[in-house]
Structure formats: C-alpha cells, structure tokens
Amino acid sequence: MRGHPDRWPFRHKLNLLVGVPLTVVAALLAYLIADQTAQSREAANAARLVRESVEVAKLVDRLAAEHQQAVLLSVRHEAAVGGEPSTSAYRTAQEQVDTQVGRVREAFGERLPETEAQALKNVEGLAGLRDTVEDGYLPANNIDPAYTDAASQLIDGLALDRNPELATTFTGNLLDSLLRSAAAHSEFETAVFSASTGDSNALIEVIGAIGAYDEFTHQSERFTRFATEAQADTFAGIRYTPAQSVISRQFAELQIDPGAAQAGSPAEVAESLDRALDSYDSYRDQAKTRLSITTSLIDQIADRAEDASDTAAWRALLLLGAALLGFALWLVLAVLVRRSVVRPVVALTGAARQVADVARRELARVADDDAEDEGPPRLREMPVTARDEIGELAESFNEVQTTAAALLERQVLSRRNVAEMFGNVGRRVSNLTSRQLTLIDAVERGETDPALLERLYSIDHIAVRLRRNADSLMLLAGIHEAALDAGPTSLTNVVRAALGQIEGFQRVELRARSEAVLEPEVIGDLTLMVAELLENAVSFSPADSPVEVTVAADGDDAVVVVSDHGLGMSAERLAEENARLIRRERLDLVPTKVLGLFVVGTLARRWKIAVTLSRTPGGGVTAEVTIPSARLVTGSTTATSTPALTALAGTAKPAPEPSGAPATGPVPADAVPADPDASGPLPRRARRPAATVPAPRSGDAPAGPGAPSSARPLRRRVRGATLRKGGAGDDRAAVVPDRPRVVDADAVRDELDAFEAAVERAHRESGAVPVPAQNPPAQDQNDPPEGAEQ
C-alpha cells in the first residue's frame, strides 16, 4: 500500500487531493439540482397533460350532445308522428364526436395512454348502437348506459388521480374532479330532457337524473377542496345561469309527480316531446356555458402547473449557479496551487513531445517520394521558470534538445552532400561519355571497313547506354536539365530515340497508331522513361521473343504500351511495383534492385504521367504509359490510318544514334520505313557513303572566318549506308562492304555550287527572296561532331 502511491505521477496525486472532496460536494449538489430539475420536468409534463385534457372535456361534451340527439330520435320513433323522423341532427352529432376523437389523438400524439386509447376505441364502437337508434325505437334505458360508460371511460383513461407527476401539487385530483363534475352535470341535463319527452322510460330517466345530480354535487365538493377560492367561484357559475333555472324547474316538476311524466299513448308522447323541444335551447345554452367554464378552469389549472414548473426550474438554476460559483472559486485556488507545481513539468513534456513530433515528421519526410530537404528543424529552448529539481531537469532537457537538433542538421547536410556527389559523378560520366562519342564519331567518319565499323558501332552503342545510366544517376541526385533548343517531336520518334539507348533493339517491334506530338520540355525525360521500360522488357525476356511497342491515342491522351513475353512478375510483386510507381520511398532508405522502375516512377511523378504494370497474356509484363493531353500539342492525338508501323531490316533506323545525337532531337525523314505494314525486327540504321561531306549541327558556328551565319546546312549523313543488308529472317546477316569509289572533292564542291545556284534561280523566277549561294562551311576541328551532346 505504501509503494503503490509512490508509483503514481505527482500530477495524479495532486488531482486526488483536490478531486476527492470536490467530487463529494459535487455529488451532493448534483442530487439537489437533479431533484429540482425533476420537479420542474414533472410540473411541465403536468401542465402539458392538463392542456391536452381540454380536448377530452370537449369530447365528453360532444358525446353528451350525441346522447341527447339519440334520445330525441328514439322518442320521435315512439311518437311516430309524420312518418320516419329525420336523422340528420343525429348524424351531425356523430360526425362532431368522430372529429373530436381525432383531435384527442392528435393532441396527445405518442404520449396517449393505453387506457385512453382504449376509451377512444370504445367511443368508435358506438357505431352499432347508432345504427339501431336510426332504424327504429330503442328505449332510453338501453341508450343511456352506453353513452354514460363511454364518457366515464374517457375520464378514467387519463388516470389523473393516479398520476405521480400530478400528485405533488394535487393537480390530478383537481382536474379529475372538474372533468367528472362536468360529465355528471351533462348526464343530469340529458336525463331531465329525456324524462320531459314523456317516453315509456320517463320514470327511469327521473331516477337517473337524481343520481347524476348527486354525483355532480359530490364532485363539486371535491373540486372545491383542491381548488382556489377564485376557481371555486368560477365553477359555481354552472349552477347560476338562466338556462340552468329552466332545467332546475323542469327537474323539480318531475320530482313532484314522477309517474305523471310517463305518457300513455303515442299522441301524448308527441305532445310531451313538443313541450320538451320548446325548452331544448336552454339545454344547449347550458351545455355551452358548462363547457366554457370547464375549459377556462382547465387553462387556469395548466397555468398553475406551469408556474410550479418555472419555480422549480428557477430553483434548480439558482442552485446550479451557486454551485458553479463555489466550484469556480475552489478551482481557481486549486489551479493556482497546482499550476505552480505542474506547469514546469507540462512545459517540459510539451517540449519533449515537440522533439518527438519533429523527429517523426523528419522520418516520414525522408521516407516520402521526391521529398527535398528543407533544412534542419529549429527547436525552441525550454524556459527554466523554477529553481528546483524540475528546473534542473529543464536545463538537462535543453542540452539534449540542442544535441538532437545538431544531429538532425548533420543528417540533412549529409543527405545533401551525397546527392550532390551523385550529381557530380553523373555529370562527369555524362561529359566523358559525350567526349567519347565525339571521338568514336570522328573515327567512324573516316572508316570504311565494314567489320571495323561494326565494332565501332557496338562501342558507340555501349557509350550511349552508359550516358543513359549517367542521366539516371543525375535524376536520382535531383538534377533536372531540360534541352533549351528542342522543339515539338512526335511520340513515335521519341520511342525510336529510346530504342537507340538500349541493347537488343533488333527484337523490338514498333506499331504507331497515333500522330501525337509532345511538348519540348517533356521529350528528354519521356525518352529516358521509355528507354528504361524497353531495357527491362528486353533484359527480362528470352532472346528469341519479340517486344511489342504500341503508340496509340486514348481520347485526348496518348498511350505507349510495352509488352514482353518473359517470366513476368507475381501478382504481389506487380502490386508492389505499381504502388511504388505512384509513391516510392527514398532510394537511400529503401534500395531497390530494379533501378529502372525507380527512374520511371520518379519521371512519372514529375510530369504526372500514369504508368501501370500488368501481366502479359501468356507470360511477361506489359507497361502502359499514359501521357496526359496537357503534355501534348493540341490536336495531335489523331489516330493514324496505318494499322502498324514496323521498321524493316535494311531501312534506315532512327533509334540508335551511336554518334551521340540527342535522344530528344528530330529523326531524319529518310528514317521512316518504306513499308508500314511489314513486320520484322528493327535493323541497324544505314550509313551513307563515306565521301559525303557531313553537315554541321544546328547551332554550330560556321567554319572559317567570315563565313556567313545564314549558310544552308547540308543534309544529315546516314550511317550504315556502306553495309550490306541481311535477309529478313537473319538478324545477324554478314555485312559485305560496298566497293569503295574514288570521289573528287572539287567535283563535289562544283556540284553543290551548281545545286545552290539552281535553287537561287528558282527563288528569283518565283518572286521569292533570293537565297545567296554560299560554300558549305568546313567542319571546325574544335567543334564536336554531329550528334554529340555537351
């Protein structure tokens, strides 16, 4: 027991010292407030019930009126004067009763007691009695019990004298006595009127009137015991009205000689009925006065119940306000004492939590894809407000916090340095590769031996792949270098340029079904992306299986589909790689063996290009690259009418530019296949004759001093023109060199001058601006050859 409290935090100990007495006092006050609130609620429910009982009082009155009409109709049947009596008045009274039944249900709603609902059903069950009364004579002693019991059940159904919510203020007894006295008086009125008609049961009606008047007197005395003096005076008004005087006089006459009230023949019944009808208006006036006084008293009773509810509510509010004020003072004192102890600890905990949050965000950030370091986090120093053990703890925490911030700063700096190192290495490799391509290109230009050229082309191709790896390395380092002189290029040519950066391009079959043209800024990155996908497809599929590449349109977007027929990936691996294409972790945290897919995912996220991997039917992987319309030249996604566009063996291949030509540059016009519908592997590009003078690249300075800048460049040379094309079925056909021919340089120059003079003459004859003929500039030895990237 002694050791258990020692394990509690001191904040809990302070809470226990303050909370226990506070809880006891709060429980006592809550009990008092709950009691007052319950009284207020009960009084409010009582007031609502009282107001709803008005509709029941009206229903009892409507039922008494129907009772009188039933007796009157029965007497008319007995008198049998003038044929069948009219039932319209009786039916009108029935409709009023049925309408009032609906109002009672509507007033109570879901709060309608089950006993009251049963009483309403009994009222609706009077339909059989109503039909009997309408069909013929029915003695009054058979009519009276049905209506009297229905009215009594309506009052009993409310259970006012047994309701606990009404018992505390005696509202239930007061309202119950009021409703029963009103019902007894209406029964008294009906009995006197029925006895005055002279029917065969007049004597029984007189006896019923005496009993009803005694019940009225009893309930009136009961009402007076619970009511106020003003309410008693108001209720006494029922007895002192002109209509009540008429009814009382007739009742006194009946008491003098009850036997004389009963007629002996139908004619006497008719005569007595006429006399009774002369005073029937007094009965209706008395019923209206009685109902008015009853409803007025019910409203007064409801007002008193509402006043009791408001009083209880105010008591609860005052008690609650006093309790809250006391609690507030107590809490202020407790908080001041507690704060002086807890505040330093809370502040220290908050600072520690901030350090934890910063560390958690840093871990999440470095695990995110393509996240750049924004600098080390800055943590605020914990203020030392106390000179005790807690203050010493705060000073120690400040030291820990400073050390943690220094470690995070060093980590950020280390990541930046590693990325910069990767970028420098990639840039150096790219520059060295470009220089290597320049040298290889220079050797290729002066070499005519086919076997040696074949080897040079292989070295050239490996250098291009090496430069692509350098570009990937710079991409991982976060370096993005866009070509400034590139123009819009067709997507098909971008795919061909990507083919020039991979090994095994002969196995690739290209089918173009779209004329989509890419914007310049995305060409370089898309070329690298497609090259990585093609490299994976060629590397992870059998050497004798083709790799299909389809360029098509998908609405306003363009789609490149790369399909291989290798072993493929499992469903789990495909799902994992697809998820990483959307959001991949940092490479330094989660290294991957598939570096190409990492590069593809990085470029796809950069340009918002959708890349999806799926299984190829029969085995293999299919990569679908969807280029959004925002990266396309408007209106360039029109589908071509050619079903397939496949490069044939022996035609000029635009893809592998061994000389280092930019992958994003335009493809020569002579590189388009001659037969779009033919099929077969992609061949190596053809090389033009060695004697053809190469043209300088766009943007190169003219050779020689004074050479004009507007010199027309010569057409690009095409490599492999001296190579003999193999058969379509042999990918590695032997290359037989063409017979070298002797070319005179002066003769070539003369031919070029003549060609340019002809062009100038054509412009002059057509009215166009003449183009001055210039000698082709010689290649500067310091300029890089065509196709070499700096």
Side-chain angles (χ1 to χ4, degrees), residues 81-210:
V81 179
E84 292 294 329
S86 174
T87 60
S88 60
Y90 185 42
R91 290 181 179 274
T92 301
Q94 294 175 15
E95 293 175 358
Q96 292 178 354
V97 170
D98 295 338
T99 302
Q100 190 61 31
V101 169
R103 292 177 180 176
V104 171
R105 288 197 174 98
E106 182 180 357
F108 281 89
E110 297 180 354
R111 299 181 305 276
L112 183 67
E114 295 182 1
T115 53
E116 186 66 16
Q118 183 62 38
L120 294 177
K121 292 181 180 179
N122 293 337
V123 172
E124 295 173 344
L126 296 175
L129 177 64
R130 293 170 176 174
D131 295 338
T132 304
V133 172
E134 291 179 1
D135 293 340
Y137 170 73
L138 185 67
N141 60 345
N142 293 333
I143 298 175
D144 295 340
Y147 285 98
T148 301
D149 293 342
S152 178
Q153 289 174 2
L154 289 174
I155 300 175
D156 294 339
L158 295 176
L160 298 174
D161 53 345
R162 300 185 300 274
N163 194 327
E165 295 180 349
L166 305 177
T168 55
T169 57
F170 301 102
T171 304
N173 291 323
L174 182 64
L175 183 59
D176 184 76
S177 60
L178 175 62
L179 294 178
R180 292 185 185 279
S181 60
H185 198 277
S186 64
E187 183 182 352
F188 164 73
E189 297 169 5
T190 303
V192 172
F193 175 74
S194 178
S196 300
T197 58
D199 67 343
S200 58
N201 293 293
L203 182 58
I204 298 175
E205 293 298 325
V206 172
I207 297 173
I210 295 173

Side-chain angles (χ1 to χ4, degrees), residues 179-264:
L179 294 178
R180 292 185 185 279
S181 60
H185 198 277
S186 64
E187 183 182 352
F188 164 73
E189 297 169 5
T190 303
V192 172
F193 175 74
S194 178
S196 300
T197 58
D199 67 343
S200 58
N201 293 293
L203 182 58
I204 298 175
E205 293 298 325
V206 172
I207 297 173
I210 295 173
Y213 190 79
D214 291 339
E215 178 65 18
F216 169 72
T217 304
H218 169 69
Q219 295 296 337
S220 298
E221 294 175 353
R222 180 186 171 202
F223 175 79
T224 304
R225 289 197 304 268
F226 299 107
T228 62
E229 185 176 354
Q231 292 173 343
D233 293 341
T234 302
F235 183 76
I238 297 177
R239 299 180 177 181
Y240 305 106
T241 61
Q244 179 62 26
S245 300
V246 175
I247 297 173
S248 298
R249 185 176 64 252
Q250 291 181 356
F251 179 58
E253 293 175 355
L254 291 173
Q255 287 180 319
I256 294 174
D257 188 6
Q262 183 172 347

Side-chain angles (χ1 to χ4, degrees), residues 461-617:
H461 198 73
I462 294 175
V464 172
R465 292 180 58 201
L466 183 60
R467 185 174 58 186
R468 176 167 58 86
N469 293 335
D471 293 341
S472 300
L473 188 59
M474 288 190 292
L475 175 67
L476 299 180
I479 299 176
H480 180 207
E481 296 180 351
L484 300 178
D485 57 347
T489 304
S490 66
L491 182 57
T492 305
N493 287 341
V494 170
V495 175
R496 290 170 178 166
L499 286 172
Q501 300 183 9
I502 68 170
E503 187 176 5
F505 57 86
Q506 299 90 345
R507 294 164 45 198
V508 179
E509 298 178 359
L510 174 61
R511 295 178 177 85
R513 298 187 178 93
S514 173
E515 299 177 355
V517 179
L518 295 172
E519 293 183 347
E521 59 181 0
V522 75
I523 292 175
D525 288 344
L526 186 60
T527 303
L528 179 59
M529 180 192 299
V530 176
E532 295 292 350
L533 293 175
L534 290 173
E535 180 74 21
N536 288 342
V538 171
S539 301
F540 295 99
S541 60
D544 56 348
S545 65
V547 174
E548 294 92 359
V549 181
T550 304
V551 180
D554 185 8
D556 294 336
D557 301 336
V559 179
V560 178
V561 180
V562 179
S563 301
D564 64 69
H565 301 278
L567 295 178
M569 300 181 183
S570 63
E572 295 77 8
R573 179 68 183 280
L574 280 175
E576 179 182 355
E577 293 299 334
N578 280 322
R580 288 182 174 179
L581 288 173
I582 300 174
R583 181 183 183 275
R584 184 183 289 272
E585 298 85 352
R586 291 175 64 104
L587 192 60
D588 54 351
L589 295 179
V590 184
T592 178
K593 296 181 179 179
V594 189
L595 185 60
L597 291 181
F598 186 90
V599 173
V600 170
T602 302
L603 294 175
R605 291 188 295 273
R606 174 183 294 176
W607 297 108
K608 292 181 174 55
I609 296 176
V611 181
T612 305
L613 302 179
S614 60
R615 293 182 60 87
T616 303

Side-chain angles (χ1 to χ4, degrees), residues 38-54 108 111 158 160 163-173 175 298-310:
Q39 292 182 12
S40 175
R41 183 173 57 253
E42 291 176 358
N45 294 337
R48 182 171 55 188
L49 180 59
V50 170
R51 292 197 182 278
E52 292 169 350
S53 64
V54 171
F108 281 89
R111 299 181 305 276
L158 295 176
L160 298 174
N163 194 327
E165 295 180 349
L166 305 177
T168 55
T169 57
F170 301 102
T171 304
N173 291 323
L175 183 59
I298 291 176
D299 291 338
Q300 295 179 18
I301 296 172
D303 293 339
R304 190 174 72 174
E306 290 177 352
D307 292 341
S309 175
D310 294 340

